[in-house]
Structures are given as structure tokens and as C-alpha cells.
Amino acid sequence: MAFSYLVSGATIYGLIGWGLDRWLGTKYLVVIGILLGVALAIYMTFGRFGGLRPRADKHSEGRRESELPREPE
């Protein structure tokens, strides 16, 4: 699913950039479109799949919260 976001984002925005290049007579909008499409696809992928998950602390790895050492009150 994440790979399809990347491919479709680059393709759709690349085609939009290509169309604008042909219409305006420029040669750089296709590159900007592809980069923008990939950036938006990465953003959507992080939003869809929850982004980066926090790493577990080495000391608490494999333990339940009730088994963790408590600080004195």
C-alpha cells in the first residue's frame, strides 16, 4: 500500500508537471511535480500508517507496567 502511494503520487504529479511544461513552454515543472508527488505520498503514508512508532525503553522491554520499578513518592 505504501509503495502504491509513492508510485501514484510521483506519476500523477509528474503528469501534471509535464502538462504544465507543455502548456507554459518550460522544462522544469515535471521534476518539481515528481518531487512534490513523492513528498505528498510520504506524508500520506505517515498519516495513514501512523508514522514512526516510539522505540521501547531497553529497561522496560518485555515487562508489564506493573513489573517496572517505581520511584519513591
Side-chain angles (χ1 to χ4, degrees):
M1 186 72 128
F3 181 72
S4 65
Y5 280 161
L6 292 173
V7 171
S8 62
T11 302
I12 290 170
Y13 282 92
L15 286 174
I16 291 171
W18 177 78
L20 288 172
D21 271 343
R22 303 253 316 167
W23 184 45
L24 298 173
T26 59
K27 296 183 189 250
Y28 58 88
L29 293 177
V30 68
V31 175
I32 292 173
I34 290 171
L35 293 176
L36 180 65
V38 169
L40 289 174
I42 291 171
Y43 174 75
M44 285 182 56
T45 302
F46 271 82
R48 170 72 171 93
F49 296 109
L52 297 175
R53 290 184 174 73
R55 293 177 56 181
D57 188 16
K58 289 183 180 182
H59 300 293
S60 64
E61 215 169 282
R63 296 186 198 169
R64 295 183 186 159
E65 188 174 323
S66 61
E67 297 173 346
L68 294 176
R70 295 186 183 187
E71 294 182 19
E73 294 179 7

